[in-house]
């Protein structure tokens, strides 16, 4: 039974508990805020030392577990309609079985025996070590973009990485690969290739890129997506262009990728080279190679086509070059913005190191800029890629007709010299077809430029076919 004084006591007690709960909640909230602020201010704690020779990403992962955890996901199978690796097969699908014209295009070159869809960064060294292409003579230069290779270069150059890089092309692939394993450095691309071990700042390390971007800066080519090069050109140029000194952080978010996702020569006859002395367009790089000679004066070529005898240029994977001609580059959007978009982990913002197609991560990769429904974005990309794919196939058909015409002319007795014009058209056509076929976006990195290149490829192939038919008719 309540006494006259019990009601105020109950009210005071309830109020006391309410105030206590409110104070406890406020304190917990403040502690959480302080912890998050502290976490944001100190995003990592160094638990182990990492140096220039720490190429095992697992060691870096002790200090930077968020980035390492997402890097491990590059071992996952991913596939889009025009690229990638899906399913549970031990190795990706052969492109040359899916598109037989590619196999004929590469006759005389190792890609005619093994040319598969790409896999994630975690496999880049393993897949190179197991491809049937290494049954043919390959240069040690090939490790430049498949391994965390800087310790090997320092070893080859007695401490001078650039000297070691220049010597590496003289080694057989198997010799260089064995040295890499003996050094304990047999890892695919690793943290140390793109980050300073002392500051974690982005940086470039690959000698091929350092030489190539310097040549590009010293050229007169337009580089609207690279403002640091434009500023350097207006300066006194007393010091060579150095991306690690002059490039902005935004530029570095593309340059670190451009250390490997580019066109290059990696054979046995001269050091690995990025063909950027005239610019980054398909014509500028073609001009660079056309003006390049081997030490004995021979015209530069990657291989001689086994069927026609044409001296062919083999494109590698020029993603950076095609990107540089597209609207994303002109808008200041870097490779990492789309392929390694920022993500929130607690109070910390980190780059997603699961490097993959933006089509598999539309929300964070695309919709931070494009206020468009995901299905609409996917539909737009699919339309662009389908159109470029159709152009690629038509270019391939035209090239096959050129090869048929050359073979018919040779069977009729036309000399190799009389077919020179047709073979030069074959070189031009294949260079352009391969530039888009080998590039990992089915033209999306620069849709109009890709369509232009493929249109020219078909045109050169048809001109070559006409030249071969004309040579045959003049017997």
């Amino acid at each position: 039974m309540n006494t006259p004084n019990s009601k105020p006591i109950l009210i005071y007690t309830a109020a006391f508990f309410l105030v206590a709960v409110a104070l406890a909640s406020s304190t917990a909230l403040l502690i959480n805020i302080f912890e998050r602020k502290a976490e944001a201010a100190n995003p990592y704690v160094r638990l182990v030392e990492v140096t220039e020779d720490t190429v095992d990403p697992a060691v870096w992962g002790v200090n930077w577990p968020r980035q390492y955890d997402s890097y491990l996901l590059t071992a996952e199978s991913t596939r889009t309609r025009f690229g990638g690796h899906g399913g549970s097969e031990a190795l990706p699908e052969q492109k040359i079985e899916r598109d037989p014209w590619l196999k004929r295009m590469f006759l005389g070159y190792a890609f005619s025996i093994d040319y598969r869809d790409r896999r994630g960064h975690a496999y880049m060294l393993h897949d190179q070590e197991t491809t049937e292409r290494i049954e043919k003579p390959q240069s040690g230069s090939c490790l430049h973009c498949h391994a965390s290779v800087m310790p090997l270069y320092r070893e080859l150059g007695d401490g001078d990485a650039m000297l070691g890089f220049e010597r590496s092309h003289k080694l057989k692939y198997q010799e260089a690969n064995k040295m890499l394993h003996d050094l304990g450095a047999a890892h695919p691309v690793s943290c140390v290739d793109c980050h300073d071990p002392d500051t974690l700042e982005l940086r470039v390390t690959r000698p091929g890129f350092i030489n190539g971007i310097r040549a590009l800066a010293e050229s007169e080519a337009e580089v609207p997506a690279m403002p640091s090069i434009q500023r350097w050109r207006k300066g006194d140029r007393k010091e060579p262009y150095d991306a690690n000194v002059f490039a902005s952080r935004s530029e570095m978010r593309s340059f670190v990728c451009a250390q490997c996702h580019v066109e290059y020569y990696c054979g046995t006859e001269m050091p690995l080279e990025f063909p950027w002395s005239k610019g980054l367009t398909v014509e500028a790089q073609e001009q660079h190679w056309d003006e390049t000679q081997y030490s004995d004066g021979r015209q530069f070529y990657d291989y001689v086509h086994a069927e026609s005898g044409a001296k062919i240029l083999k494109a590698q994977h020029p993603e950076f070059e095609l990107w540089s001609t597209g609207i994303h580059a002109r808008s200041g959007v870097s490779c990492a913005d789309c392929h390694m978009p920022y993500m929130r982990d607690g109070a910390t913002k980190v780059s997603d190191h699961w490097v993959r197609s933006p089509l598999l991560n539309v929300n964070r990769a695309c919709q931070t800029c494009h206020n468009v429904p995901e299905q609409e974005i996917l539909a737009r990309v699919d339309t662009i890629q389908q159109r470029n794919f159709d152009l690629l196939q038509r270019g391939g058909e035209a090239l096959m007709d050129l090869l048929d015409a050359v073979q018919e002319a040779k069977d009729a007795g036309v000399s190799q010299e009389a077919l020179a014009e047709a073979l030069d058209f074959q070189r031009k056509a294949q260079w352009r077809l391969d530039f888009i076929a080998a590039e990992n976006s089915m033209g999306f990195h620069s849709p109009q430029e890709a369509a232009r290149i493929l249109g020219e490829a078909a045109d050169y192939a048809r001109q070559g076919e006409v030249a071969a038919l004309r040579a045959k008719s003049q017997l």
Side-chain angles (χ1 to χ4, degrees):
M1 181 175 182
N2 290 338
T3 64
N5 294 327
S6 63
K7 189 173 182 180
I9 292 173
L10 287 174
I11 292 174
Y12 292 144
T13 303
F16 173 80
F17 280 110
L18 285 174
V19 170
V21 169
L23 284 172
S25 299
S26 300
T27 302
L29 178 61
L30 287 172
I31 290 173
N32 183 269
I33 291 172
F34 289 139
E35 287 178 347
R36 294 301 184 189
K37 283 187 174 181
E39 187 179 347
N42 299 288
Y44 60 85
V45 177
R46 280 183 181 269
L47 298 175
V48 298
E49 279 301 309
V50 293
T51 70
E52 294 288 352
D53 290 320
T54 309
V55 295
D56 185 348
V59 179
W60 289 67
V62 175
N63 292 341
W64 296 281
R66 295 182 178 89
Q67 291 84 350
Y68 179 61
D69 285 349
S70 57
Y71 166 80
L72 291 177
L73 293 174
T74 64
E76 296 284 325
S77 297
T78 61
R79 173 173 285 282
T80 61
R81 197 157 82 87
F82 292 100
H85 166 54
S88 58
E89 63 267 39
L91 286 172
E93 186 179 353
Q94 287 275 15
K95 290 185 179 182
I96 51 177
E97 291 177 1
R98 193 171 58 228
D99 289 317
W101 64 267
L102 284 172
K103 184 170 186 174
R104 191 180 180 192
M105 184 171 82
F106 292 134
L107 285 176
Y109 197 62
F111 275 68
S112 66
I113 59 175
D114 192 353
Y115 181 29
R116 299 174 185 272
D117 288 323
R118 62 101 182 130
R119 289 206 284 186
H121 279 172
Y123 287 106
M124 62 165 56
L125 181 58
H126 172 271
D127 284 357
Q128 187 183 50
E129 291 173 333
T130 55
T131 177
E132 295 176 41
R133 292 200 297 270
I134 62 172
E135 295 175 5
K136 301 291 182 182
Q138 301 286 343
S139 165
S141 291
C142 297
L143 288 170
H144 184 272
C145 291
H146 283 265
S148 194
V149 75
M150 297 307 293
L152 175 62
Y153 288 158
R154 286 191 286 274
E155 176 73 13
L156 287 172
D158 300 321
D160 184 338
M162 189 60 78
L163 180 60
F165 159 74
E166 292 171 357
R167 290 173 174 171
S168 64
H169 77 282
K170 297 177 182 177
L171 295 177
K172 294 178 181 177
Y173 174 79
Q174 288 80 0
E175 292 174 334
N177 185 260
K178 182 178 184 304
M179 287 186 66
L180 192 75
H181 279 268
D182 290 345
L183 286 169
H187 292 278
V189 63
S190 184
C191 318
V192 73
D193 298 308
C194 304
H195 293 283
D196 186 304
D198 294 323
T199 66
L200 205 63
E201 287 293 317
L202 278 177
R203 64 170 185 180
V204 291
T205 55
R206 292 290 195 279
F209 176 83
I210 291 170
N211 291 338
I213 200 73
R214 184 172 296 166
L216 176 65
E218 292 170 354
S219 76
E220 297 179 353
E222 294 184 2
V223 285
M226 298 166 209
S228 70
I229 289 180
Q230 298 176 54
R231 288 193 295 272
W232 177 84
R233 287 173 176 173
K234 293 175 182 175
D236 58 24
R237 300 192 182 195
K238 289 182 179 177
E239 298 292 332
Y241 177 80
D242 183 342
N244 286 324
V245 174
F246 299 109
S248 67
R249 178 171 172 78
S250 178
E251 287 174 296
M252 290 301 281
R253 284 169 60 78
S254 292
F255 286 176
V256 292
C257 306
Q259 296 184 97
C260 295
H261 289 267
V262 293
E263 155 65 3
Y264 50 80
Y265 166 81
C266 67
T268 58
E269 299 200 54
M270 62 185 197
L272 184 143
E273 181 170 311
F274 289 15
W276 294 351
S277 68
K278 310 295 180 185
L280 297 177
T281 64
V282 69
E283 290 85 3
Q285 294 183 77
E286 182 181 46
Q287 183 184 354
H288 175 98
W289 291 135
D290 285 346
E291 295 177 3
T292 298
Q293 294 182 332
Y294 290 119
S295 57
D296 59 5
R298 284 176 296 132
Q299 177 193 23
F300 176 87
Y301 56 85
D302 284 294
Y303 69 100
V304 175
H305 195 270
E307 190 177 313
S308 71
K311 295 174 179 175
I312 299 299
L313 301 175
K314 170 71 185 79
Q316 303 305 322
H317 27 78
E319 285 88 41
F320 175 69
E321 292 96 325
L322 192 63
W323 162 86
S324 74
T325 66
I327 186 63
H328 284 93
R330 292 295 289 256
S331 302
V333 179
S334 70
C335 306
D337 287 331
C338 304
H339 294 277
M340 303 175 66
Y342 288 114
M343 61 182 185
R344 180 68 64 181
D345 188 331
T348 304
K349 186 178 76 171
V350 297
S351 286
D352 187 351
H353 282 58
W354 186 5
V355 184
R356 54 181 162 156
S357 168
L359 300 179
L360 302 169
N361 193 18
V362 170
N363 178 255
R364 283 195 278 111
C366 309
Q367 290 179 311
T368 51
C369 295
H370 299 286
N371 185 23
V372 178
E374 179 169 335
Q375 289 306 312
E376 173 62 18
I377 290 174
L378 292 172
R380 290 183 190 181
V381 175
D382 192 71
T383 299
I384 289 170
Q385 291 186 319
Q386 182 65 57
R387 288 172 179 171
N388 280 309
F389 177 78
D390 292 343
L391 285 170
L392 178 67
Q393 297 302 319
R394 294 182 67 173
E397 291 173 12
L399 180 67
M400 297 303 101
D401 289 343
L402 183 159
L403 288 172
D404 287 344
V406 168
Q407 191 59 50
E408 289 174 13
K410 294 174 80 169
D411 291 343
V414 178
S415 68
Q416 198 74 10
E417 291 73 20
L419 287 168
E421 183 182 14
L423 300 183
D424 186 54
F425 279 125
Q426 181 189 346
R427 174 175 162 119
K428 289 179 177 295
Q430 282 200 203
W431 167 245
R432 285 161 177 75
L433 277 176
D434 201 15
F435 200 89
I436 301 304
E439 200 270 343
N440 286 314
S441 77
M442 193 49 71
F444 179 76
H445 285 144
S446 186
Q448 288 186 308
E449 176 71 352
R452 180 189 74 82
I453 292 169
L454 291 171
E456 287 190 357
D459 178 60
Y460 281 132
R462 292 303 178 192
Q463 289 190 62
E465 180 184 1
V466 170
L469 294 172
R470 185 165 54 241
K472 180 184 174 186
S473 69
Q474 292 172 350
L475 276 177

